[in-house]
Amino acid sequence: MNTSLSWIKMYVPDLDVTAQGYSDAMTLSGTKVEGYQRLDADLENIVVGQIKKIEKHPDADKLIVCQVDVGQEQPVQIVTGAPNVKEGDKIPVVLDGGRVAGGHDGKVTPGGIKIKKGKLRGVDSSGMMCSIEELGSSREMYPEAPEYGIYIFEDDVPVGGDAVKILGLDDVIFEYEITSNRVDCYSVVGIAREAAATFGKEFKPPVVKAVGNQEDAADYIRVTVEDEQLCPRYCARVVKNVKLGPSPKWMQRCLAANGIRPINNLVDITNYVMEEYGQPMHAYDLDTIEDAHIVVRRAEQGEEFVTLDGQTRIMDEDVLMICDGRKPVGVAGIMGGENSMITDQVKTVLFEAACFDGANIRKSAKRIGLRTDASGKFEKGLDPNNAQAAIDRACQLMEELGAGEVVGGMVDVYAQKREPVRVRFEPEKINALLGTDISKEEMLKFLDKVALRYEESTGEIVAPTFRQDIHCMADLAEEVARFYGYDKISTTLPTGEATTGRISFKQRIEQVARDVAEYCGFSQGMCYSFESPKVFDRLRLPEECPKRRAIRILNPLGEDFSIMRTLSVNGMLTSLATNHNRRNKNVGLYELGNVYLPKELPLQELPDERMQFTLGMYGKGDFYTMKGVVEEFFEKAGMRKKPVYEPSTLYPYLHPGRQAVVCYEGKEVAYLGEVHPAVAASYGIGERAYLAVVDIPSVLGFAGFDYKYEGIARYPAVTRDISMVVPKDVLAGQIESVIAQRGGKILEDLSLFDIYEGKQIKAGYKSMAYSVTLRAKDRTLEEKDVSAVMKKILHGLEGLGIELRS
């Protein structure tokens, strides 16, 4: 997108800024300026001169000597070979020491060409008359300039005036990089609105008046839109008694600055409105529209159509066409047809301003191999509410320039009107997001600059339909930030646990699990979340087991990857089997991965994804080795109390006599055991293997990293050993529970240091010995204190059928 500074100033009259200042400020406020070009960069000391007298050169037939009034006391003498000048002409003159952009051949010289006094065939010449090419432009942009010769001004320009300014070459052309969501900035009005907001100036958009006579356009033309999805809106107006001619100089200069060649008033108006409003328009000769009927429809497969450039295009059914009652007259949003082009004999014009589906226009332009300025704008997705303003502006200009008589009314096919977007205005959230402390009033001031109005009754910001980028609070925050100034926003740390430079609590627990497992000699593995339904049979799960209720994948890679896993042990056993088959000894693996437990089938909501800390091993080590790893994890995770191990037969893939459920404060948090021999054999593991599975979500409720400092013990400890004969059905955990309960506050530690079964012990019993450590924090324990506690412990143990060994 390009605009000239002079065109911007038409809508921001008080804008007084240098080219570099404009470029920097607009870029900082979000309208990035890629670069700019000063049209007068290589022009210097060029004024309007009037030829007072012409004489033949004494020594050259093709040269003449002119006395030129340049507004100074004495006229200057200039020798020229231009064939088109005569006495009285007003022409651009570069004076001694000035510069021009290039030569008569139209080639621009970098830095310009300096003009000095000199002699031509022996006659003094104190300057040079300029053609339009020597001023850095061309006849395409200045059609009134002669094909060969000096540029001639109109009679009303002042002698001695700044010729560069009079020609409109004292301008700057800016090139912008506009993002696709800012369709409004693909127009001069949109850029001007941004400039006014950036520099704090008043924005004065063109005042559009609905002009027209007492007739009704509906009496001249009918419009039928067959595909409202591809054409949400189609506006049509009629201008009769059209008078073609050149457009005014100010319009030609605006178009030329934007790189558009002026042609005539009718074409220039449509191009001018397209640049001004960002709404492409098209003009048809109404007399060529058969049945006075416009039909917007899809093309037929293989339909041929000749566009304005004389090329035959092959259409398909996805291309949208503009047709009359019998034939196509244009490719919607891209280019009109040769059969309805405007000629010098045109009497009545049909103006079209429509809105087409952007994606369809882009694909159609690519499909037929024709991309135009209009399609480039349409493919961004234009605002349908802008179409009426644009067509009314074009009709207004037609009337103001005397180019025709505007027929009243408008044919408007608009199926579903686009309404403004409303976004809740929440200044606190905006400040929290930006890390700023901007007042509500200041925010509203920034938003009002770009037509984002605050509706106090609802507490909402109402975004006009041309602002298609406003959808949520973050969009409003962006508007506030860019006009407040990104450079004014100080560096702050984001809030929230996940963004304050540390990992979350859950991630810390998972890291503890990794550290403990790796410290204990386990290597990390990663298993698939996709599994085969055959796994359940392999793990010996009963038919009624809820773990068989797995989520089926709609497009699985195959039967072996067709369900989401509900157990993590299959992947671990498969990995252990792979290592065993490769003759790796003493293998220990761990995995942190999710299982997926559906709340109901078929799925109505997302499943419960539970992180499992799974350990597997074979070789050196046994059940108690695995138990030690689990206890080490609990301790490092801040679970200070001793877990309780309850014998279990719940897990059919574990040995029925060598498995246990791990409970913490009465809640099951893990289980472990030896792999069932039949299961191990089915996986190909030829020796004893062990598994432990810790449910991380269950652990999170008990874990913590808050450590309470306790000083070094000041008083001595007392140790007592208890040697017992215990019934075989009494578990160590039961004994430890009694000792812990009855030991009270002075019990510091207890440990099992001996267990024996043999002929010396009576049948049905085992021998167990515990070491008990007692210590008081505030005094030295006396014998009576120790005896009282030991008596309570022994009395409690007797209740379990335990006998003391003599």
Side-chain angles (χ1 to χ4, degrees), residues 515-573:
D515 292 343
V516 168
E518 290 168 10
Y519 175 78
C520 294
F522 287 74
S523 299
Q524 185 171 14
M526 187 172 290
C527 304
Y528 289 118
S529 296
F530 303 154
E531 290 186 336
S532 168
K534 299 174 185 176
V535 164
F536 301 132
D537 294 331
R538 204 173 186 187
L539 294 174
R540 305 175 73 245
L541 294 184
E543 290 296 329
E544 67 277 4
C545 180
K547 299 296 185 184
R548 284 181 175 268
R549 299 178 66 252
I551 302 165
R552 286 202 159 271
I553 299 166
L554 291 177
N555 55 341
L557 297 174
E559 179 66 16
D560 290 342
F561 302 96
S562 61
I563 62 170
M564 302 296 291
R565 67 179 180 177
T566 57
L567 292 165
S568 60
V569 294
N570 172 64
M572 180 58 67
L573 289 172

Side-chain angles (χ1 to χ4, degrees), residues 169-343:
L169 292 172
D170 60 333
D171 208 346
V172 185
I173 309 302
F174 294 97
E175 180 184 356
Y176 306 88
E177 181 185 317
I178 307 296
T179 55
S180 295
N181 65 331
R182 288 304 306 272
V183 184
D184 57 302
C185 287
Y186 284 92
S187 66
V188 179
V189 168
I191 295 291
R193 185 185 292 106
E194 291 291 312
T198 299
F199 293 98
K201 304 295 183 181
E202 184 182 1
F203 173 56
K204 296 182 178 179
V207 179
V208 180
K209 301 175 183 177
V211 297
N213 58 24
Q214 299 303 311
E215 296 179 275
D216 189 351
D219 296 332
Y220 285 78
I221 191 71
R222 292 183 299 124
V223 176
T224 301
V225 177
E226 294 183 359
D227 194 327
E228 294 176 349
Q229 200 71 22
L230 297 184
C231 180
R233 189 176 195 185
Y234 191 101
C235 300
R237 295 200 67 177
V238 176
V239 180
K240 65 180 185 179
N241 301 326
V242 173
K243 300 173 184 175
L244 292 183
S247 55
K249 289 289 189 294
W250 63 266
M251 182 175 285
Q252 292 187 28
R253 300 297 177 259
C254 286
L255 293 175
N258 273 33
I260 298 175
R261 179 171 62 92
I263 298 174
N264 58 48
N265 50 7
L266 182 57
V267 176
D268 290 355
I269 284 173
T270 58
N271 286 333
Y272 182 86
V273 173
M274 179 176 71
E275 294 299 306
E276 185 179 45
Y277 277 83
Q279 170 65 53
M281 293 185 58
H282 192 71
Y284 299 97
D285 186 340
L286 186 58
D287 293 331
T288 65
I289 304 298
E290 297 192 52
D291 299 337
H293 187 194
I294 288 290
V295 180
V296 184
R297 62 165 175 84
R298 289 176 181 262
E300 297 176 3
Q301 189 69 34
E303 184 174 2
E304 295 185 357
F305 181 69
V306 181
T307 49
L308 275 172
D309 57 2
Q311 299 293 316
T312 300
R313 313 282 175 177
I314 308 298
M315 308 296 162
D316 63 27
E317 57 189 10
D318 289 326
V319 178
L320 195 66
M321 302 294 293
I322 309 298
C323 308
D324 62 18
R326 300 185 184 181
K327 63 183 184 302
V329 294
V331 185
I334 301 176
M335 184 178 281
E338 192 177 53
N339 55 9
S340 62
M341 65 185 297
I342 299 294
T343 65

Side-chain angles (χ1 to χ4, degrees), residues 143-161:
E144 73 276 12
E147 185 175 354
Y148 180 80
I150 305 302
Y151 183 87
I152 309 297
F153 284 111
E154 294 180 353
D155 293 338
D156 57 350
V157 298
V159 173

Side-chain angles (χ1 to χ4, degrees), residues 449-564:
K449 286 181 176 181
V450 284
L452 300 175
R453 312 298 182 198
Y454 178 58
E455 193 173 274
E456 193 167 358
S457 59
T458 61
E460 295 173 322
I461 295 294
V462 181
T465 52
F466 63 77
R467 284 304 301 270
Q468 300 181 40
D469 60 314
I470 303 297
H471 302 287
C472 60
M473 182 275 292
D475 297 326
L476 297 181
E478 181 184 8
E479 297 300 302
V480 171
R482 66 193 186 97
F483 291 117
Y484 176 72
Y486 290 111
D487 55 324
K488 296 180 184 177
I489 300 177
S490 57
T491 303
T492 57
L493 288 175
T495 58
E497 186 176 282
T499 56
T500 54
R502 62 182 181 184
I503 60 177
S504 67
F505 179 71
K506 176 177 177 290
Q507 290 171 322
R508 292 175 70 189
I509 295 298
E510 291 172 6
Q511 188 58 54
V512 168
R514 291 187 189 94
D515 292 343
V516 168
E518 290 168 10
Y519 175 78
C520 294
F522 287 74
S523 299
Q524 185 171 14
M526 187 172 290
C527 304
Y528 289 118
S529 296
F530 303 154
E531 290 186 336
S532 168
K534 299 174 185 176
V535 164
F536 301 132
D537 294 331
R538 204 173 186 187
L539 294 174
R540 305 175 73 245
L541 294 184
E543 290 296 329
E544 67 277 4
C545 180
K547 299 296 185 184
R548 284 181 175 268
R549 299 178 66 252
I551 302 165
R552 286 202 159 271
I553 299 166
L554 291 177
N555 55 341
L557 297 174
E559 179 66 16
D560 290 342
F561 302 96
S562 61
I563 62 170
M564 302 296 291

Side-chain angles (χ1 to χ4, degrees), residues 326-365:
R326 300 185 184 181
K327 63 183 184 302
V329 294
V331 185
I334 301 176
M335 184 178 281
E338 192 177 53
N339 55 9
S340 62
M341 65 185 297
I342 299 294
T343 65
D344 293 343
Q345 288 73 42
V346 64
K347 297 300 180 184
T348 307
V349 166
L350 172 67
F351 275 129
E352 165 197 286
C355 185
F356 303 110
D357 179 73
N360 177 263
I361 295 298
R362 179 178 59 83
K363 292 176 182 177
S364 296

